[in-house]
Amino acid sequence: MTLQNILVPFQNIETGVQAFNTATLLAKHFKVHLNVVHIRQKFPLPAGYYYPIAGTYFQESMNAETAGAGRLANELKTKYEELCEQRGIARTGMGNHDESLGTTASWDDLYSNYSFAFAREARLADLAVVARTKGTPSTDNSAMIEELIFQSARPVLIDTAAGPIAEFPKTVVVAWDGGREAARALSAIIPMLKEAETVFVSSIGELEPAAALPERAAAFLRLHGIHALPNHPSVRKGQSREERFLEHAENRDADMIVMGAYSHSRWREVILGGFTKFMLHHANTPIVMAH
């Protein structure tokens, strides 16, 4: 089990460059391929398009949108090429990657509904790396992250507003509740956990009666040669599980958090909030999520 292909969405300079830098750190460590993808959004024809006046107006609007999308795509591709040159990354197709080449990268420019299409592209990657925008995430960026988590069946590393990862994560904290999402996240990211110095498997509060304890999860990781330690941080009065976990990760000087995402209904998370939503909005540590 190893990483061979990392997907990097590249929709704007800010988040694209940050995600690329983080993905490059991982790719150089494992000598793997970066699949950098830009998606130009399709513009659907509106109702009434075929009426003469409306048709002319909408055609002009679509032409302007298409031209703008083309300029942005060219600008981003130029930036991608600059980044590859600066970091000594060979540009070649995914099928041509060979470990002897070191880290390689390819650029794909696609047309689609972009939040959904990234998830489709990620299904042939071992990991997707995205950057969270500073402050309140944009609607487009949030939709892309959510669709990657829900629809790709792959782990997603969300780099935070604190900036790109400066060095390979040495201390990792795993949020463990014994559920299937946590299990998927744990197993999917084993190649990275093997490279860490210490992995804390942490359960906040009480687990479900039938759930495997963090001691069992840590023992499983040790079978893979990972230095894993179980933790049972207690929740203080007036403190939520989410707040306690984030505090625990900070106290452990975590370089990365690993967790299952959306163990409850996504609509419940949207309306009432939840562990996933809290971590996406408040964590300043890179997070790997899987659903």
Side-chain angles (χ1 to χ4, degrees):
M1 183 185 294
T2 185
L3 297 180
Q4 292 294 340
N5 183 35
I6 300 175
L7 174 78
V8 184
F10 212 96
Q11 292 303 99
N12 60 63
I13 293 292
E14 181 185 13
T15 59
V17 170
Q18 183 169 329
F20 184 92
N21 287 336
T22 295
T24 296
L25 176 73
L26 304 179
K28 282 184 172 289
H29 187 90
F30 290 105
K31 296 182 180 179
V32 300
H33 185 75
L34 295 174
N35 183 24
V36 184
V37 179
H38 175 70
I39 295 179
R40 308 187 199 191
Q41 193 165 7
K42 287 182 177 179
F43 301 104
L45 297 177
Y49 173 80
Y50 291 105
Y51 288 99
I53 296 177
T56 300
Y57 171 78
F58 285 122
Q59 187 64 61
E60 290 175 352
S61 297
M62 289 179 65
N63 288 344
E65 294 279 6
T66 300
R71 288 191 294 271
L72 175 61
N74 291 334
E75 177 187 352
L76 295 177
K77 184 178 181 182
T78 298
K79 186 63 179 179
Y80 151 78
E81 292 171 347
E82 290 175 1
L83 291 169
C84 289
E85 290 291 335
Q86 292 168 3
R87 288 153 180 75
I89 298 174
R91 301 198 301 273
T92 186
M94 180 170 64
N96 297 324
H97 172 79
D98 186 274
E99 191 172 310
S100 64
L101 298 173
T103 302
T104 60
S106 58
W107 174 268
D108 281 328
D109 187 354
L110 310 175
Y111 289 87
S112 188
N113 179 304
Y114 97 81
S115 64
F116 289 91
F118 277 120
R120 184 183 63 219
E121 295 299 311
R123 290 170 189 162
L124 293 178
D126 299 300
L127 177 72
V129 177
V130 296
R132 188 186 70 188
T133 50
K134 294 178 181 179
T136 303
S138 69
T139 301
D140 285 349
N141 197 56
S142 295
M144 178 183 69
I145 292 172
E146 183 172 315
E147 290 307 317
L148 277 168
I149 292 170
F150 264 98
Q151 303 296 337
S152 70
R154 294 292 184 269
V156 181
L157 192 159
I158 302 105
D159 197 2
T160 63
I165 301 173
E167 58 182 14
F168 199 90
K170 296 178 181 178
T171 303
V172 180
V173 175
V174 177
W176 178 257
D177 63 2
R180 62 182 181 181
E181 290 81 10
R184 175 169 288 181
L186 190 72
S187 61
I189 209 66
I190 280 176
M192 289 182 64
L193 297 182
K194 283 184 175 181
E195 304 298 317
E197 293 180 358
T198 305
V199 176
F200 295 101
V201 184
S202 304
S203 297
I204 305 297
E206 297 295 325
L207 298 181
E208 294 292 331
L213 295 175
E215 284 80 4
R216 293 272 292 169
F220 165 75
L221 291 179
R222 288 196 293 272
L223 288 175
H224 289 271
I226 296 166
H227 180 227
L229 302 171
N231 272 254
H232 290 269
S234 58
V235 180
R236 301 185 184 94
K237 186 176 181 180
Q239 189 179 43
S240 70
R241 292 174 64 251
E242 295 87 349
E243 291 169 336
R244 181 66 180 108
F245 179 79
L246 198 54
E247 178 186 68
H248 167 69
E250 291 170 353
N251 289 341
R252 294 294 185 181
D253 294 322
D255 301 308
M256 189 172 74
I257 291 169
V258 176
M259 58 179 283
Y262 298 105
S263 57
H264 298 295
S265 159
R266 68 195 301 183
W267 298 114
R268 175 178 168 179
E269 292 261 352
V270 169
I271 296 169
L272 300 178
F275 204 100
T276 306
K277 185 177 179 181
F278 182 90
M279 296 300 293
L280 283 172
H281 284 84
H282 296 284
N284 288 318
T285 302
I287 311 172
V288 175
M289 292 187 174
H291 177 73

